[in-house]
Amino acid sequence: MSNSAEILIIDDEIQIRKLLEIALGSNGYKTIFAVNAKEGITLAANHQPDLIILDLGLPDEDGQIVLKRLREWYKKPILILTVK
């Protein structure tokens, strides 16, 4: 199955990133990963992904602040995935 959609996953947990990579990749989605807020915002700006999956518990910045910063210019869907 081929899909041209690109999904950015911003999450510092390796297990979550691996799970999402396997699940989304098996359905043909291209995934890119960021392990912190700074990297996530940079990748979102450079790649303009079709969807962002955002963890609220990031090591360098609160995910809710990241969400607000992304929403200043990113208009595509953002899914929140968190244990909070």
Side-chain angles (χ1 to χ4, degrees), residues 31-69:
T31 52
I32 53 174
F33 300 94
V35 298
N36 59 46
K38 182 179 179 182
E39 184 180 16
I41 290 168
T42 300
L43 285 174
N46 291 339
H47 287 264
Q48 290 291 312
D50 298 292
L51 170 71
I52 295 174
I53 299 176
L54 173 64
D55 179 17
L56 294 183
L58 297 170
D60 61 336
E61 192 165 1
D62 184 272
Q64 292 181 358
I65 293 170
V66 176
L67 177 62
K68 288 178 185 176
R69 289 179 63 197

Side-chain angles (χ1 to χ4, degrees), residues 1-61:
M1 179 181 294
S2 180
N3 192 323
S4 62
E6 182 175 65
I7 300 173
L8 169 60
I9 299 161
I10 307 172
D11 196 309
D12 62 323
E13 296 284 335
I14 184 115
Q15 300 91 342
I16 299 295
R17 292 194 314 266
K18 283 290 183 191
L19 173 69
L20 290 171
E21 180 180 31
I22 292 166
L24 295 169
S26 69
N27 285 291
Y29 293 99
K30 179 181 178 194
T31 52
I32 53 174
F33 300 94
V35 298
N36 59 46
K38 182 179 179 182
E39 184 180 16
I41 290 168
T42 300
L43 285 174
N46 291 339
H47 287 264
Q48 290 291 312
D50 298 292
L51 170 71
I52 295 174
I53 299 176
L54 173 64
D55 179 17
L56 294 183
L58 297 170
D60 61 336
E61 192 165 1

Side-chain angles (χ1 to χ4, degrees), residues 61-79:
E61 192 165 1
D62 184 272
Q64 292 181 358
I65 293 170
V66 176
L67 177 62
K68 288 178 185 176
R69 289 179 63 197
L70 286 168
R71 277 295 172 224
E72 291 174 1
W73 54 271
Y74 183 82
K75 303 304 179 196
K76 296 176 184 176
I78 299 174
L79 293 177

